[in-house]
Amino acid sequence: GIQVEQSPPDLILQEGANSTLRCNFSDSVNNLQWFHQNPWGQLINLFYIPSGTKQNGRLSATTVATERYSLLYISSSQTTDSGVYFCAVGLMNYGGATNKLIFGTGTLLAVQP
Amino acid sequence: EAGVTQFPSHSVIEKGQTVTLRCDPISGHDNLYWYRRVMGKEIKFLLHFVKESKQDESGMPNNRFLAERTGGTYSTLKVQPAELEDSGVYFCASSLYGDTEAFFGQGTRLTVV
């Protein structure tokens, strides 16, 4: 089955630093989402980004579907950015409509004051 | 508009007992998914409903798990009898269409002792 790999697995930053998280996937997908799991366990939607580039405040994401990777950029990091960041890809199935997400193993980010 | 809501937020049960988890999707979302994260592992797909029909239940671990979605609205996931390895966080998600952005609930943390 499809493999979704995220790097780095762990990351420690000082507040104010920038970072780039990467998600590689092994097969064609027709959607991709980035999530932030906060300390309370909630999965917060960051981006729905099957291709192209999107920005939302200090966060931006780029997916290059033809090369099977996506990047999540965090600028001017804050302590509230701490948590686990998941990439999840949607599989092409059932005539083009995805029906499930395959999650990567996540990147654990700790932002220190 | 309310997001995906799950009940209960936490459940502690003894091995051999029965537990029922509930998910209320975003209003109007025909697609409803169950996922779970067992300790130390990645988030994995369990099953997918389109309205009241099971579209894909390939991720259900065994016949101790039963999911229903009566009337195509809320869904329940019953575990009977529960085993120790069923402990983890159970997430529900919903989307408008099969290949559109999925939104997750806050999860139910199940502990089997």
Side-chain angles (χ1 to χ4, degrees):
Chain A
I2 190 169
Q3 302 296 313
V4 183
E5 296 180 350
Q6 292 186 242
S7 59
D10 304 279
L11 184 60
I12 300 175
L13 298 175
Q14 291 296 313
E15 202 167 23
N18 303 327
S19 63
T20 301
L21 311 183
R22 186 175 180 104
C23 172
N24 291 334
F25 42 97
S26 61
D27 207 344
S28 298
V29 299
N30 70 327
N31 90 49
L32 187 144
Q33 293 187 236
W34 282 97
F35 299 91
H36 174 215
Q37 186 172 37
N38 64 21
W40 296 271
Q42 291 177 287
L43 283 172
I44 308 298
N45 286 42
L46 296 178
F47 294 101
Y48 170 75
I49 186 166
S51 64
T53 297
K54 290 186 178 180
Q55 180 155 10
N56 184 3
R58 296 180 296 104
L59 274 59
S60 64
T62 295
T63 297
V64 184
T66 52
E67 297 186 21
R68 299 180 183 170
Y69 74 89
S70 183
L71 302 174
L72 177 69
Y73 305 95
I74 305 174
S75 64
S76 304
S77 58
Q78 301 176 357
T79 56
T80 51
D81 295 332
S82 296
V84 183
Y85 288 79
F86 288 104
C87 160
V89 300
L91 291 181
M92 193 75 80
N93 203 346
Y94 293 100
T98 57
N99 61 0
K100 61 184 174 186
L101 293 174
I102 307 298
F103 280 77
T105 50
T107 292
L108 176 59
L109 174 65
V111 181
Q112 298 177 337
Chain B
E1 181 182 340
V4 178
T5 53
Q6 294 185 243
F7 304 95
S9 55
H10 296 85
S11 180
V12 181
I13 61 170
E14 292 184 352
K15 176 181 172 181
Q17 289 186 323
T18 297
V19 63
T20 299
L21 314 181
R22 173 171 169 144
C23 169
D24 286 74
I26 292 172
S27 178
H29 281 194
D30 286 340
N31 294 269
L32 186 150
Y33 311 81
W34 284 98
Y35 293 81
R36 75 171 180 177
R37 188 181 193 194
V38 295
M39 196 61 66
K41 300 201 173 175
E42 63 269 30
I43 299 171
K44 285 198 169 177
F45 167 82
L46 295 178
L47 89 160
H48 171 211
F49 283 100
V50 177
K51 297 185 181 178
E52 68 276 8
S53 299
K54 292 177 185 175
Q55 182 79 358
D56 181 353
E57 51 184 328
S58 61
M60 294 288 265
N62 52 59
N63 60 10
R64 295 185 294 102
F65 289 75
L66 175 64
E68 295 180 322
R69 191 180 183 194
T70 306
T73 54
Y74 70 90
S75 175
T76 57
L77 180 64
K78 183 192 300 187
V79 185
Q80 179 181 28
E83 298 289 344
L84 299 179
E85 64 265 26
D86 300 332
S87 296
V89 181
Y90 289 77
F91 291 101
C92 175
S94 72
S95 66
L96 187 58
Y97 302 110
D99 58 352
T100 54
E101 187 174 8
F103 296 88
F104 281 71
Q106 80 280 17
T108 293
R109 181 172 297 278
L110 174 64
T111 303
V112 183
V113 297

